[in-house]
Amino acid sequence: MDAKVAQLLNDQINKELYSAYLYMSFANHYEEVGLKGYANWYMVQTKEERDHALIFRNYLLENDEKVKLTAIAEPDMTFSNNLEPLEAALEHEEYITASINEIYAAAVEVNDYRTVNFLKWFVEEQGEEEANARDMVSDMKLYGSDQGSLFSLDREAMSRTYTEAAPLSAN
């Protein structure tokens, strides 16, 4: 495997673990303000991001590459309303999409088609992640100021359940 591609894949592990850490901080915010459904949503998201890190780890190991774990930065965001974590999540998902695209481009550049194929699942996943984040922002902007509607949105978020990521289930 090309050294640059391997390094980018390894760096992505840390980015995914940071995502899990960040989303847990969002869950904490929502728990503190009494929106247990949104807290649930972000705890499920935390598990999914951890899964993503494990998928990258497994791929590197399957390709005889060394995995180097680095320190995870502390999320330092504070929020003054219920919309801000949702907007931060959308921005973060866009950042992760750009990172996946960077790895994809590096793999294409060196004709690493195995890695290109591996990344296709993440390209699709990021499309879903961004769409979900955009929908949550839109819903909060449209309905979040009405207490009854906010209650309904929170109940809807409570129904989300964790499902192990398909690439992990296949192993």
Side-chain angles (χ1 to χ4, degrees):
M1 180 179 289
D2 178 77
K4 178 182 177 184
V5 172
Q7 184 60 55
L8 289 170
L9 289 165
N10 203 95
D11 292 347
Q12 193 65 32
I13 294 169
N14 188 264
K15 291 175 183 177
E16 299 293 343
L17 291 172
Y18 175 77
S19 298
Y21 208 38
L22 180 67
Y23 291 149
M24 190 180 301
S25 77
F26 294 177
N28 294 344
H29 165 79
Y30 286 118
E31 191 76 37
E32 290 165 6
V33 299
L35 293 172
K36 294 185 184 307
Y38 280 90
N40 173 68
W41 176 276
Y42 280 107
M43 286 308 296
V44 170
Q45 197 66 27
T46 294
K47 292 174 186 175
E48 286 189 4
E49 302 305 337
R50 180 212 52 214
D51 283 359
H52 297 170
L54 291 174
I55 295 165
F56 281 105
R57 174 194 171 271
N58 293 349
Y59 182 73
L60 283 170
L61 292 173
E62 289 165 5
N63 285 278
D64 295 325
E65 293 293 331
K66 185 172 176 67
V67 174
K68 181 173 181 353
L69 301 176
T70 58
I72 302 171
E74 176 183 352
D76 61 354
M77 296 180 186
T78 57
F79 306 109
S80 59
N81 61 54
N82 295 323
L83 177 61
E84 289 176 357
L86 303 176
E87 291 174 328
L90 175 56
E91 183 178 327
H92 185 72
E93 289 300 338
E94 290 168 344
Y95 163 75
I96 293 298
T97 298
S99 182
I100 299 287
N101 290 343
E102 179 184 5
I103 303 167
Y104 194 99
V108 166
E109 186 176 313
V110 297
N111 299 322
D112 182 351
Y113 301 113
R114 184 174 55 231
T115 298
V116 167
N117 190 51
F118 164 75
L119 290 170
K120 285 181 180 179
W121 183 86
F122 283 99
V123 170
E124 270 190 47
E125 176 72 7
Q126 281 309 118
E128 292 172 19
E129 297 281 13
E130 285 189 28
N132 287 337
R134 270 192 300 280
D135 288 349
M136 292 184 78
V137 168
S138 295
D139 287 350
M140 184 63 76
K141 284 181 176 178
L142 286 170
Y143 310 112
S145 60
D146 175 74
Q147 293 302 311
S149 296
L150 181 59
F151 178 79
S152 293
L153 289 173
D154 192 55
R155 290 296 137 228
E156 182 180 324
M158 182 63 84
S159 68
R160 185 179 189 201
T161 58
Y162 166 73
T163 303
E164 186 176 65
L168 286 178
S169 299
N171 288 337

